[in-house]
Amino acid sequence: MKFLLLIAAILLQTACTGVPDGMKAVKNFESERYLGTWFEIARLDHSFERGLEQVSATYSMRDDGGIKVVNKGYSAEDKEWKEAVGKAYFVDDKNTGHLKVSFFGPFYGSYIIFKMDQVNYQYAFISSYNHEYLWLLSRTPQISDEVKQDFINTAAEYGFSTDQLIFVDQMPTNTDTK
């Protein structure tokens, strides 16, 4: 019985750190250039970010070689900032934009950078192990219409429900900035 539970745990973890069919993570990825703050421009809805605006992610190096992840966003309904701190590690090599990230103990999910501005590191298209998770991140709170349209078109080609995208309000509305 313990063996079956171990196999189930391994399969679950592998499935959660995989890549959707046909998608490839970017190559020639430079984690040092990726570090810093990114603003969430668009996402598919999911429970852990529902209702949040002014969402950002800040990445920094960990002492163990991984990457510290700090996600934060403002809940207008609760009138407070929400924050989640996690850790990420490369799944393959450090030059491939495929990481596994955890906010909840030993459970990891894929963080796949499937397209990005590899010249200036100004925007990135992110997915997870399935088509339920999708983000457009930018170094600035606003992004050009051309990049937004490229994101929508590219995500649609990979089979994402782009008609369900949420475009995040990045403008403060009487909130205490943090």
Side-chain angles (χ1 to χ4, degrees):
M1 184 65 165
K2 286 183 182 178
F3 178 72
L4 291 176
L5 290 174
L6 177 64
I7 296 296
I10 290 169
L11 289 174
L12 180 62
Q13 190 167 11
T14 302
C16 293
T17 59
V19 178
D21 287 340
M23 182 179 284
K24 292 187 186 317
V26 296
K27 300 288 186 187
N28 302 314
F29 179 74
E30 298 175 48
S31 60
E32 304 80 31
R33 294 184 65 200
Y34 198 77
L35 301 178
T37 299
W38 291 81
F39 296 91
E40 184 177 276
I41 304 301
R43 69 171 179 261
L44 288 178
D45 190 30
H46 44 78
S47 62
F48 52 91
E49 278 190 289
R50 189 159 292 136
L52 296 183
E53 54 190 45
Q54 300 177 63
V55 179
S56 66
T58 302
Y59 305 98
S60 59
M61 290 305 299
R62 291 173 46 94
D63 291 339
D64 65 2
I67 296 175
K68 179 180 179 182
V69 182
V70 179
N71 290 340
K72 74 174 189 174
Y74 186 76
S75 170
E77 181 179 326
D78 298 335
K79 296 184 177 18
E80 67 181 12
W81 288 92
K82 308 279 184 167
E83 185 174 274
V85 178
K87 55 189 174 183
Y89 299 95
F90 287 93
V91 172
D92 300 313
D93 61 80
K94 291 183 184 237
N95 296 317
T96 302
H98 181 195
L99 296 95
K100 59 182 185 176
V101 65
S102 176
F103 292 93
F104 312 106
F107 303 104
Y108 285 85
S110 277
Y111 182 98
I112 305 154
I113 305 163
F114 64 94
K115 187 170 183 177
M116 70 178 297
D117 168 17
Q118 288 190 273
V119 175
N120 298 309
Y121 279 62
Q122 292 299 300
Y123 64 84
F125 303 175
I126 315 296
S127 178
S128 190
Y129 63 95
N130 65 24
H131 288 90
E132 294 176 25
Y133 301 97
L134 179 67
W135 295 271
L136 168 56
L137 301 182
S138 171
R139 291 290 189 179
T140 58
Q142 281 80 37
I143 200 163
S144 73
D145 289 339
E146 292 80 17
V147 172
K148 282 183 190 175
Q149 194 58 55
D150 184 33
F151 174 68
I152 292 167
N153 293 344
T154 303
E157 288 172 15
Y158 282 118
F160 288 94
S161 299
T162 56
D163 59 326
Q164 296 178 19
L165 282 170
I166 295 169
F167 287 88
V168 179
D169 184 0
Q170 286 291 349
M171 302 305 293
T173 55
N174 293 335
T175 62
D176 295 328
T177 56
K178 185 176 182 185

